Amino acid sequence: MKPITVTLPGPPRTKKNRPNIFPIISAEGIRNLIEKLKRAQELEKGGHREAVRALMAEIMFSVQPSPDYKEWFDEMYLLRNDLVDQCKAAGFQIPFTEPVGIKALFYRDRLTGDFDGYTAALADMIQSDQWRCKACRKKTFRIADCPHCGAKVCFLEHCRKGLGLIQDDKQIAHWDGTRLKKDAINPRVELTISLYDDGRPVQRGLLFEESAVFIAPEPAEEIELEF
Ligand SMILES: [Zn+2]
């Protein structure tokens, strides 16, 4: 199969630039924390250090991608229908479910961010939508009764959004030819996806379901796009 090339308009962003970090604690964590603080008090160890130690043992930190990345992602997500139409018109069945190689030319609006940041952000963005089963907590690419535990389709919750060019970033075998460039006038990402014909899987135990069901979101308004 010949490679497919698409252009994502607008300046690319990384997820690492000013990430939002905030602490989270589970209901169980809160219960544990209360118990620990009570115990510390009973043992007359209710000092500042014990309290902080108890808190840190129960708390986790959630790192959310940078607001810039979210903005870029949301803009690209709006273009998803056009992207899918364009790929279908060119005779491509997306998402790719086999191992792939990606060549991406990042034409940035300014010279910021690092290579890893851009490739990670793009890899995330081009994955398929995913749903999590609320009964068994496993994930699926299809809107249907849970393939893992058989729970009804209403148990699925949307847990990942993406452009649906490839099913999962675990398929990416290489980034050969990828470059960080700059074009302040016309920032964009030109990306070429080709089948990785090495014949070997990229990761052990990675099973792909058949093509994900594509749900077209309502088009917001007429947008002139060139891909
Ligand atoms: Zn399930």
Side-chain angles (χ1 to χ4, degrees):
M1 198 157 89
K2 62 184 168 103
I4 183 168
T5 298
V6 292
T7 300
L8 305 176
R13 300 290 183 227
T14 68
K15 300 168 94 173
K16 289 187 279 192
N17 174 36
R18 295 187 290 121
N20 293 325
I21 300 170
F22 58 89
I24 49 175
I25 187 166
S26 64
E28 193 191 350
I30 292 172
R31 281 195 293 275
N32 291 343
L33 182 59
I34 292 170
E35 275 308 307
K36 280 182 191 171
L37 292 177
K38 265 193 210 158
R39 218 174 306 136
Q41 240 175 358
E42 282 163 12
L43 297 169
E44 295 189 339
K45 278 189 167 181
H48 176 74
R49 192 192 293 177
E50 280 71 26
V52 170
R53 195 176 290 162
L55 185 64
M56 293 309 285
E58 299 300 337
I59 221 159
M60 287 172 291
F61 291 93
S62 165
V63 182
Q64 296 295 313
S66 68
D68 288 349
Y69 171 78
K70 276 192 191 157
E71 199 177 306
W72 182 46
F73 182 94
D74 290 344
E75 280 170 17
M76 293 306 108
Y77 197 71
L78 283 177
L79 311 183
R80 194 171 70 148
N81 281 0
D82 299 83
L83 213 53
V84 170
D85 288 349
Q86 190 204 347
C87 292
K88 280 186 183 157
F92 288 100
Q93 184 68 38
I94 57 168
F96 281 82
T97 55
E98 305 88 351
V100 293
I102 291 184
K103 173 189 172 186
L105 303 177
F106 294 94
Y107 291 92
R108 299 162 295 164
D109 55 343
R110 51 185 192 268
L111 299 175
T112 54
D114 58 27
F115 188 88
D116 285 357
Y118 284 106
T119 52
L122 184 65
D124 238 37
M125 181 183 286
I126 61 174
Q127 299 180 102
S128 296
D129 280 28
Q130 217 173 28
W131 288 265
R132 187 190 289 111
C133 171
K134 283 188 253 184
C136 69
R137 309 305 296 167
K138 288 184 179 159
K139 292 175 181 172
T140 173
F141 292 103
R142 279 191 283 181
I143 304 178
D145 292 352
C146 175
H148 309 290
C149 74
K152 287 287 170 207
V153 65
C154 57
F155 276 83
L156 298 184
E157 56 185 351
H158 203 177
C159 65
R160 186 174 84 187
K161 286 205 294 186
L163 298 181
L165 294 177
I166 61 174
Q167 198 160 70
D168 197 278
D169 62 6
K170 292 188 181 81
Q171 285 162 252
I172 302 173
H174 66 76
W175 288 89
D176 290 358
T178 295
R179 299 282 184 274
L180 296 188
K181 293 167 171 280
K182 189 192 164 192
D183 185 345
I185 310 291
N186 180 25
R188 66 198 182 278
V189 181
E190 289 176 6
L191 108 118
T192 303
I193 306 175
S194 50
L195 281 183
Y196 180 57
D197 51 13
D198 181 274
R200 283 176 239 152
V202 182
Q203 284 211 9
R204 190 188 297 234
L206 186 66
L207 285 176
F208 292 111
E209 299 170 27
E210 281 170 35
S211 273
V213 175
F214 178 71
I215 304 178
E218 287 293 310
E221 56 199 68
E222 288 277 295
I223 312 171
E224 274 281 318
L225 295 169
E226 41 163 320
F227 281 112

